[in-house]
Amino acid sequence: QVQLVESGGGLVQAGGSLRLSCVSSRSTFELNYMAWYRQAPGKQREFVGNIIRRGSTMYADSVKGRFTISRDNAENTMYLQMNNLKPEDTAVYYCNTELRFENYWGQGTQVTVSS
């Protein structure tokens, strides 16, 4: 099993920045990937980006160039640095991973961007 705990959400003005954290109960070296998803009110959960075991990252087009995913293996933590935030980035942000073919989600952290 894997427990994921997100933190770092909050209220920020458009153009501002936030950094989200996701702490895993398992070593990041055991996980094939760690990912960020988000869900806005009334919308489906959508992929934001991920980082795979060897460290490569990929991003949704909507956040490319503004968001950066990184990882601290010693702390079993993944980060999401979000810059130049827009009101449309407002959502609950979830951490996701997979271990032995089972999917795991964190409880989510709210990000609200005011215009």
Side-chain angles (χ1 to χ4, degrees):
Q1 256 196 335
V2 185
Q3 281 79 47
L4 301 171
V5 179
E6 303 99 330
S7 62
L11 173 64
V12 64
Q13 286 190 328
S17 299
L18 279 176
R19 188 177 81 155
L20 307 184
S21 300
C22 171
V23 180
S24 166
S25 63
R26 302 292 288 258
S27 168
T28 51
F29 291 114
E30 295 185 79
L31 308 173
N32 289 330
Y33 70 87
M34 294 182 75
W36 288 100
Y37 284 76
R38 66 186 182 185
Q39 187 166 20
K43 295 190 176 181
Q44 287 191 329
R45 193 171 295 190
E46 65 174 4
F47 173 79
V48 174
N50 69 12
I51 184 165
I52 64 174
R53 187 181 293 166
R54 67 171 183 259
S56 300
T57 55
M58 64 180 296
Y59 302 93
D61 287 343
S62 58
V63 307
K64 209 172 287 184
R66 300 188 298 122
F67 290 11
T68 303
I69 294 174
S70 61
R71 187 179 62 196
D72 184 336
N73 294 323
E75 299 293 330
N76 296 333
T77 301
M78 173 180 65
Y79 300 99
L80 179 65
Q81 177 66 44
M82 304 185 292
N83 297 328
N84 190 22
L85 282 160
K86 304 176 181 181
E88 51 264 42
D89 295 318
T90 294
V92 178
Y93 284 70
Y94 297 92
C95 181
N96 166 261
T97 192
E98 180 186 276
L99 180 65
R100 300 191 189 105
F101 307 109
E102 287 209 35
N103 228 271
Y104 297 92
W105 295 90
Q107 82 289 350
T109 185
Q110 176 71 47
V111 171
T112 303
V113 185
S114 63
S115 55

